[in-house]
Amino acid sequence: MSRNARHQALFGWLFAAPFAIGFLLVFVAPIIWAIRAAFFGSEAAEGGLYGGGARREVFVGFKNFAHAATNPGFWSGMGRVLAFGAIQIPVMILAALFLALLLDSFLVRRPGLWRLGYFLPFAIPGLIAAIVWTYLYLPELSPFAAALPDLDGIAFFLSPRLVLASMANITTWTYTGYNMLIFLAALQAIPHDLYEAARIDGASGWVIATKIKIPLVRGAALLAVLLSIIGTVQLFNEPTMIRTVATWMGNDYMPMLMAYNTLMGQISPSGMGPASAISILMAVVAGSLAVIYALVQRRIAR
Amino acid sequence: MSAVRTAPPPAFAPSKFARSLTLIVLVVAMVYFMGPVIWLIIASSKSTADLLTTPPFAFSQLNWVANWQALMSWTGGQFPRWVINSVIYSSLAGVVGTMISLACGFAIAKYQFPGRKALLMITMTGLLMPVALLTVPLYVLFQTIGLANTPWAVIVPSLVSPFGLFLGRVYAEASVPTELLEAARVDGAGEVRIFFTIVLRLLGPAMLTIFLFIFVATWNNILLPLMMISSDNLKPVTLGLYGMASYYAPNKGAMMLGALLGVLPLVALFLALQRHWRAGLAAGAVKG
């Protein structure tokens, strides 16, 4: 190794080390830990069910995974998350794209104020957004919910038939403006000569939007959808908050809620092992969905 | 992005009809996005009785003082403490997180060291990691090393931000000229000194963007403190509000005031530093 190469290696790692160590501690170690924990369960040490109280860890192989994977509660929660994402993500991304195209067109002279207003909900912490919307769904408080009929004896927005849509609305409200800004930034990066040339060739604003702008923000859209898929699988704030007023919802209504309540001993079998197995299964599902989406996208693009 | 655009040449100008239709769409969208925020501000001023009986989008008796007193007695005087906790956790995570993101991003952009590619690839998969799922094992890990239920349990996981590293690298590549580093070396400056006196100065705008991202992410996280923090006096404001919301029949006027106060610092920061946010988003959108 030459002197310069050694110098580069030394200082490169010196500057990279704090982040790398943090990453090991906060990302890598927990993953390894979770995988290990998923293969263990706890059982009463000295036989007796109510005896000593001391518990010890025992290796249980794939039992935790088998339990999570065959638990109908897990899959119905996953099904809810998928139904949620299948509708919410396209609605949000299309709305964000539509607003971005509108603000980027000649139709709007001063986009600044609109842009800021649409983006502001992103500054509201997810849990607080969930609190505000939950109260907006309560007929006794809400400006609009009182006019709507109960469904199956439960307030309109909190009824089993509509509660997923109510949650989807909270997520859409929070993240549409953020995604709109991402699209706007991508649109700003397109050289304006491109539009001028198209204009001179007689293209209308509509043609420019659909034939030039939309294809060019494809990369940004792909990333936005991927991040939304990952975010949807770990949905937690909305179901947690809505459950405080919609008491019919189970504590395993969505997978992240199930993982949390499993860890906290609210769902049996409880503890670190079963909770880790659920988390890993969720990560596998999320990863598979992201990969499937990316592959389908690539095939369509070809 | 300029606030006012030059008017289009007359031949390209959209029709009056198209512009009116656009305006209607924009206003409807604005009502949807801002309506709940305005409602929150109005609701925070009302007593629970007024919330139930008066028109929702009009102020009636301004009950802020009584709501504040209710909030204080309800939380045993802890509420201001929770807001301060949030400020401390988010600021510390933001400052330290920004420094390590920039240092690592700078290293990846400007040094050739073994493992550089692998480091980049592994940390970037962290971008697509469902972080909430890591919270369960993180809790066990922090309990094992005795850091659960301390401020560190919230701060340390928050300060490692793959997105911060991503931005740091993009900015370092774009705005730190390699020739400048060479010149400083020829002049006899050490690497550490170069980083602190030259590189950080060049990366000033990037610093603010990354800080904001980490600050906001820390402030907004609920799952992490929910698992890590059990002492009342260590709670961040989101966790405190969650505890209040889970009460049976909470005092809704006080609740709304609490929600508003939990949002205000963040909104103020957003508005004050708007420009930097957008710059960061632009870098992400274009490179991503």
Side-chain angles (χ1 to χ4, degrees):
Chain A
M1 213 188 254
S2 75
R3 192 149 172 269
N4 183 44
R6 221 171 26 233
H7 183 89
Q8 291 261 330
L10 176 67
F11 283 100
W13 272 111
L14 180 77
F15 287 126
F19 189 96
I21 292 167
F23 192 82
L24 279 179
L25 180 72
V26 175
F27 282 81
V28 180
I31 293 172
I32 294 171
W33 219 106
I35 293 172
R36 182 199 166 273
F39 288 98
F40 285 80
S42 72
E43 67 170 22
E46 303 293 315
L49 206 52
Y50 303 100
R55 302 184 70 84
R56 65 166 178 218
E57 271 197 283
V58 285
F59 182 78
V60 295
F62 285 93
K63 207 173 112 195
N64 290 327
F65 286 107
H67 199 279
T70 56
N71 184 346
F74 176 79
W75 292 109
S76 40
M78 211 33 120
R80 290 185 194 107
V81 161
L82 292 186
F84 177 103
I87 295 171
Q88 190 269 333
I89 297 175
V91 167
M92 173 183 68
I93 298 292
L94 290 177
L97 186 58
F98 174 73
L99 289 174
L101 287 171
L102 215 52
L103 291 187
D104 192 58
S105 73
F106 279 142
L107 289 164
V108 183
R109 287 279 169 76
R110 292 164 188 273
L113 188 69
W114 305 108
R115 195 175 51 207
L116 185 62
Y118 300 166
F119 178 61
L120 196 71
F122 185 69
I124 312 244
L127 184 88
I128 295 182
I131 291 175
V132 172
W133 275 103
T134 300
Y135 283 4
L136 284 171
Y137 292 150
L138 284 177
E140 62 264 35
L141 291 182
S142 170
F144 47 83
L148 296 160
D150 284 4
L151 295 177
D152 311 320
I154 299 170
F156 189 79
F157 290 108
L158 305 172
S159 65
R161 269 190 271 169
L162 276 180
V163 79
L164 271 184
S166 304
M167 287 187 219
N169 173 56
I170 304 177
T171 314
T172 307
W173 182 76
T174 309
Y175 290 105
T176 301
Y178 172 80
N179 286 306
M180 177 198 75
L181 273 195
I182 299 271
F183 287 136
L184 265 177
L187 285 172
Q188 308 279 315
I190 302 173
H192 275 237
D193 322 5
L194 217 54
Y195 306 150
E196 269 156 41
R199 287 278 181 185
I200 288 163
D201 287 348
S204 65
W206 171 255
V207 169
I208 289 180
T210 52
K211 293 273 152 63
I212 300 179
K213 291 184 177 180
I214 291 183
L216 284 174
V217 296
R218 236 205 157 91
L222 175 82
L223 190 69
V225 172
L226 275 181
L227 291 177
S228 300
I229 292 176
I230 306 289
T232 303
V233 172
Q234 32 178 351
L235 210 63
F236 183 73
N237 291 333
E238 290 85 350
T240 304
M241 190 53 219
I242 287 197
R243 231 168 68 80
T244 63
V245 292
T247 40
W248 57 267
M249 280 167 70
N251 58 6
D252 59 353
Y253 193 76
M254 282 188 164
M256 195 63 228
L257 208 57
M258 186 180 183
Y260 174 73
N261 282 314
T262 298
L263 182 73
M264 292 298 156
Q266 311 285 322
I267 294 176
S268 167
S270 66
M272 191 57 207
S276 298
I278 294 173
S279 296
I280 291 169
L281 219 52
M282 283 170 66
V284 170
V285 173
S288 318
L289 287 175
V291 169
I292 291 170
Y293 171 73
L295 289 179
V296 169
Q297 262 288 331
R298 189 173 293 177
R299 174 152 292 183
I300 291 172
R302 216 171 265 160
Chain B
M1 266 188 246
S2 60
V4 184
R5 216 169 282 152
T6 48
F12 299 161
S15 68
K16 196 138 201 172
F17 173 73
R19 295 200 49 180
S20 325
L21 196 67
T22 306
L23 189 65
I24 293 173
V25 172
L26 291 179
V27 169
V28 168
M30 192 62 119
V31 168
Y32 172 67
F33 288 115
M34 291 303 291
V37 178
I38 293 164
W39 181 78
L40 171 64
I41 295 170
I42 294 172
S44 72
S45 76
K46 292 183 178 176
S47 67
T48 302
D50 276 357
L51 268 175
L52 299 177
T53 51
T54 56
F57 277 103
F59 283 104
S60 63
Q61 214 174 17
L62 293 183
N63 213 33
W64 272 309
V65 176
N67 278 349
W68 171 253
Q69 282 159 351
L71 188 61
M72 286 298 278
S73 71
W74 185 3
T75 60
Q78 295 281 2
F79 190 81
R81 178 76 199 254
W82 293 343
V83 177
I84 293 169
N85 285 342
S86 276
V87 173
I88 294 174
Y89 300 165
S90 307
S91 310
L92 256 177
V95 169
V96 180
T98 305
M99 290 306 289
I100 67 173
S101 301
L102 281 178
C104 189
F106 168 64
I108 290 177
K110 295 291 165 182
Y111 289 88
Q112 290 300 325
F113 56 93
R116 176 178 162 274
K117 282 253 165 62
L119 180 67
L120 182 63
M121 229 178 67
I122 292 169
T123 47
M124 285 303 105
T125 54
L127 257 186
L128 285 178
M129 193 85 73
V131 277
L133 299 180
L134 295 178
T135 315
V136 173
L138 260 179
Y139 166 72
V140 179
L141 188 73
F142 272 69
Q143 207 180 30
T144 314
I145 53 182
L147 286 179
N149 198 29
T150 67
W152 304 114
V154 177
I155 295 170
V156 172
S158 306
L159 58 81
V160 183
S161 162
F163 191 68
L165 173 62
F166 168 72
L167 285 182
R169 195 192 102 232
V170 170
Y171 280 115
E173 262 169 13
S175 53
V176 179
T178 309
E179 303 77 47
L180 193 67
L181 300 177
E182 294 298 341
R185 278 180 201 134
V186 170
D187 286 348
E191 302 291 330
V192 176
R193 196 167 141 221
I194 290 176
F195 177 72
F196 280 102
T197 56
I198 299 175
V199 175
L200 281 190
R201 200 159 299 169
L202 288 172
L203 291 179
M207 228 191 267
L208 215 53
T209 307
I210 299 172
F211 172 79
L212 271 173
F213 269 106
I214 298 178
F215 187 96
V216 169
T218 311
W219 191 288
N220 288 356
N221 199 341
I222 173 77
L223 193 58
L224 186 68
L226 183 61
M227 288 206 186
M228 295 286 190
I229 303 289
S230 47
S231 306
D232 222 26
N233 61 342
L234 291 179
K235 286 179 179 175
V237 67
T238 45
L239 182 58
L241 284 169
Y242 170 65
M244 289 162 63
S246 344
Y247 264 61
Y248 178 73
N251 176 338
K252 299 201 169 65
M255 186 75 217
M256 290 287 95
L257 180 62
L260 182 67
L261 294 175
V263 164
L264 271 187
L266 215 50
V267 171
L269 198 67
F270 257 82
L271 294 185
L273 300 171
Q274 223 215 114
R275 226 155 37 83
H276 304 282
W277 258 99
R278 294 226 313 275
L281 285 178
V286 177
K287 283 289 243 182

